[in-house]
Amino acid sequence: MIDFKFKPFNEMTDDDYKLVGFKSGLEIHQQLYTERKLFCRCPAGLYNHKYDAEILRHMRPTLSELGEYDGTALMEFKTKKDIIYHINRDSVCTYEMDDTPPFEINEQALDIAIEIGMLYRCSIIDEIHIARKQYLDGSIPTGFQRTSIISVDGRVPYKDREIEILQISIEEDSCREVSDYGHTRVYVADRLGMPLIETVTAPDMKTPVEVAEVGKILSNIVKSTGKVRTGAGAAREDVNVSVAGGTRIEIKGVPSLKRIPLLTYNEAMRQWNLLRLREELKKRGITAETFEHKIENITKILRKTIYLPIANAMNDGKVIYAVTLKKFKGFLNWQTQTETYFSKEISDRVRVIACLSALPNIIHSDSTAETISTAEWQKVKKTIGATDEDTVVIVWGPETDVITASREIAIRAKEVTIGIPSETRQALRDGTNGFERILPGPERMYPDTDLPPKRVTEKRKQRIKAQVPELYWEKENWYRELKVPEDLIQPLAISRLTGLFKKTVNEWKIDPVLTAVVLIQYPKRLRKMKTDFEKIDEEVFAEILKAYKDGKIQREGILMLLANSVKQGVFDKDSIPPQIRETEVAALIKNSDAELRKSRIYNKDSYGNYLTGKVMNEVRGRISSSAVINTVEKLLKEKK
Ligand SMILES: [Zn+2]
């Protein structure tokens, strides 16, 4: 193994990543913007924590055709979890619970998936076959997800090369997890069955920053269709990472692209450091064959300890076990990630698989922290026959859980002698990752006999092709030529309103800068003004810009009209203020002038501004501000 130690995140260079053989790919899950779910007619995007019914479920593993148990299923079985689904009758029907067969695939969702495939320059599949993908983590009540590959073999330009898009599938979203503690995990079923696409890239990214940059490009590309959901939870990234000699590890459900660089750095470091630990073990003569451990019940020895976590467990009538890891001394303090050590790998397994959720759930003899007393450690070691070369791990709780935990501690320690275990990991807030679950076996897909294959006709492809948007960076070039302000260029290029922008500028000849401001900046301002702001329909924007083009409203009136439309939920023609003629304005100014002169104004220089402001308040949106200013100036000049 190359002699290299990971440096702090900011000091790592591209060459360092090359040296360790960093490789990473993305799997992006993106919800599509449809009214209904993928295989039933329940509404999509109706989120609610209220529920009418509860379903309880237990996992039971069955042998696969190959005579093996699926890793995930076996793990979930070990956890003995009560899995509870909360069901609201407005967002879930009997289909999601596998009580009625599926409806035909949602055509709107299929169109969007094909369109996105075309954007990625993929080959579109001629005949789609619905498959069932095994889902044994509990997030889908039926234990499988309906999924279908829509397109394959696409590419996206990046730097001086191309990133390969392996495939795009359309599939059903899973349940939302609400809580997971001890032996109970609760899901809400509202999201279940909503259409999403999964885009899988090849592991073409060579540094953590590249992963985030490519993620951003992919996210912009799908957003630019205007047909995907946005906001919290609408797009979720799985990132896979490996280093030379390591294992392809998936970090699941990364909520934000910004977190990818640190997460992938830490995962690469974890794999590298675990491989280095394997070398060290070898030096001590520990391999998979020579690995030794011992599990013992030590409840009697520590019954009277004052170390609080264990003392509390004793009060509740629980038990204490010790696991001796032969010749492991010091290795539980071996660094794996930033400020994270090998003991965390063990504690994670104990938490997830033995369901000992309250932390700390283990203590160990390598630790320098205050736990049980030195005398107690010595007594424990003596009783179980551990030497100074060994590490002792202590775990406490209900006996069945503690037995599971002790075995898991030994399993995880032994795995170091082999390599990086195949598992999925979860992204943590501090940029490190934690164990999530054992990776499912490879036999995950099987044909779904409920639905016939479906042809994607040439006619359908042509129809969709005609509406595929330009790639967003091509639009950006055009916006730059039009002198659209720099900060509006990318948001506009990936906005659902790009089509309207084109029409407004090319056909209606409205100033592109004004149009960009109206389409991108005004909604932001409205969102700040009103908390219950929802998406404004494209039609509303179109009607208002049309009214401006026809001279029915002034520049100043656009924001006001948009605000009105947001309030009412629709565009209301009657809310267009009646036009006002210049002669009327002149009269209004004269009246205001007379009124204003009655009040005392100390700063005579500002008089013009006062007057203009007063008049503008009354005519806002009905005539341009420059017309008012000109008339006021003229009047004041005449008076002098
Ligand atoms: Zn349904």
Side-chain angles (χ1 to χ4, degrees), residues 37 40-42 91-96:
K37 291 186 176 180
C40 66
R41 301 296 171 253
C42 288
S91 56
V92 178
C93 67
T94 48
Y95 162 72
E96 288 95 324

Side-chain angles (χ1 to χ4, degrees), residues 208-361:
V209 170
E210 284 196 359
V211 189
E213 284 177 356
V214 170
K216 182 76 187 159
I217 293 172
L218 301 190
S219 150
N220 284 346
I221 287 177
V222 290
K223 273 187 197 151
S224 75
T225 61
K227 292 168 187 161
V228 299
R229 288 187 184 269
T230 52
R236 303 182 299 273
E237 283 87 25
D238 293 350
V239 187
N240 57 66
V241 180
S242 67
V243 298
T247 303
R248 180 184 172 278
I249 290 292
E250 239 176 66
I251 308 171
K252 289 274 188 190
V254 180
S256 145
L257 292 165
K258 281 184 203 136
R259 293 181 36 195
I260 286 180
L262 202 54
L263 276 170
T264 48
Y265 155 81
N266 270 310
E267 176 51 24
M269 167 157 53
R270 189 184 74 93
Q271 293 189 26
W272 192 253
N273 284 347
L274 285 172
L275 294 173
R276 285 177 53 233
L277 178 54
R278 183 175 66 183
E279 299 277 302
E280 289 301 309
L281 284 165
K282 228 186 249 170
K283 283 182 201 162
R284 286 194 196 173
I286 311 174
T287 61
E289 288 73 38
T290 61
F291 173 84
E292 264 185 83
H293 77 282
K294 239 167 90 182
I295 297 173
E296 253 156 292
N297 184 330
I298 55 160
T299 315
K300 273 184 196 158
I301 306 168
L302 290 182
R303 176 162 286 153
K304 295 209 168 96
T305 184
I306 57 161
Y307 174 59
L308 208 58
I310 296 184
N312 287 340
M314 288 300 95
N315 285 336
D316 296 341
K318 293 176 178 160
V319 300
I320 315 167
Y321 274 46
V323 184
T324 311
L325 303 172
K326 286 305 223 181
K327 294 196 194 170
F328 250 71
K329 189 186 164 61
F331 287 158
L332 263 69
N333 285 341
W334 187 268
Q335 188 181 5
T336 49
Q337 308 178 61
T338 309
E339 285 173 43
T340 304
Y341 305 88
F342 183 60
S343 56
K344 173 81 175 358
E345 301 264 324
I346 288 180
S347 163
D348 275 359
R349 286 279 179 96
V350 168
R351 178 175 53 80
V352 176
I353 296 183
C355 296
L356 295 172
S357 310
L359 296 178
N361 55 6

Side-chain angles (χ1 to χ4, degrees), residues 160-178:
D160 57 349
R161 58 186 208 267
E162 284 187 327
I163 302 294
E164 197 186 337
I165 303 294
L166 297 177
Q167 65 176 58
I168 297 177
S169 307
I170 190 165
E171 55 188 39
E172 299 175 285
D173 209 342
S174 55
C175 291
R176 292 193 288 149
E177 186 182 303
V178 195

